Amino acid sequence: MNETRLEVRGLTKHFPITAGMFRGKVIGHVQAVDDVSFSIDEGETLSLVGESGCGKTTISNLILLLHEPTDGGIFFRGKPLSGISVRERQEYAREVQVVFQDPYGALNPRMRVADIVGEPMDIHGYSAKEKRTAVLDALKAVDLLEGSDSKYPHEFSGGQRQRIGIARALTMNPELIVLDEPVSNLDVSIRSQILNLLKDLQEERGIAYLLISHDMASVEYMSNRIGVMYLGRLVEIGKSEDLIADPLHPYTATLVSAATPTGRTPTWQLPILGEVPSPLDLPKGCAFNTRCPYAMPVCSEVRPEYTEVEAGRKVACHLYPDHINSIDKSLTQSNILDDPVQ
Ligand code: SF4
């Protein structure tokens, strides 16, 4: 059985909203992440999907220790990250790496590739010889040509620059890599090459990936499991193939319907309705109730708890377990507008 690399339990992050002359007065909070729990095993890819502002990037920043949680905890190989020493923090920063979305902005244009890729090793005090060996190994692992180490970022294409970003993450021999929209700035033709490279590296090294993305096609290709986020909350989580073929939550159904990644027809297709509400003024009860054609009176009053539909498959929706079999799953944009299901 594979070891659990990362676990988050009840993870919550609220950002203060400030006002006043020096922005010193706190007038409210934005619930960027609200009571989110999941785990990622060795060699596994868990993807977090959802529209902008759903909280997936805040979760990645919490895991990268760029923010402090308001509540809940993050555990790496079973150990809590709260209150860790400076030395433990450095070790964690070695074991958990990140690949950023923008291969153009993420690389310092004034540095040679060897220095960019070896930079994390400088921070962790490796010798020049160790650094040289690791840099050349990493560049080889991402299929960059010999001699690439002495060049500058502008001499490479977008896909090659993303390979440099991946090489930089690999030099530290990480156990977990956060992939923050790693292919969304690349041409479609290049995307599959980068995704295949990431899959190969995972297979060879057993790295766990947390993939943050809004591109369902990439997510389906890469993931073992998918978590769907809506306005800070994880509304559904399950195995990738199950969640895409048979979405449980109405919001998941809208995401899958909008993407239909492999041309398959999911069991539940639903058009996207309306706009995402402001995170400054979240709807009461289920945050999706203002856009959900199946909303019932309870939905605008009571926040739904999770129902475990099967082992590892959870959904936060009042349709479960009693109402799901009595709803019409073949709604279209026009029949919702003609006859709202409220
Ligand atoms: Fe729709 Fe209610 Fe389920 Fe929310 S809890 S997704 S409003 S049915």
Side-chain angles (χ1 to χ4, degrees), residues 249-251 286-290 292-296 299 304 316-319:
H249 195 282
Y251 179 60
C286 169
F288 193 56
N289 82 72
T290 54
C292 179
Y294 305 100
M296 303 170 280
C299 300
C317 171
H318 287 302
L319 291 174

Side-chain angles (χ1 to χ4, degrees), residues 13-17 28-33 279-280:
K13 180 66 187 175
H14 297 170
F15 290 106
I17 308 165
H29 288 87
V30 176
Q31 291 184 20
V33 175
L280 302 177

Side-chain angles (χ1 to χ4, degrees), residues 7 14 36 43 50 107 135 140 152 191 200 225 249 295 317 322-323 330:
E7 186 180 1
H14 297 170
V36 169
L107 308 179
V135 166
K140 194 171 170 201
Y152 289 92
R191 287 182 185 181
D200 290 346
R225 288 183 301 132
H249 195 282
C317 171
D322 298 330
H323 304 287
S330 57

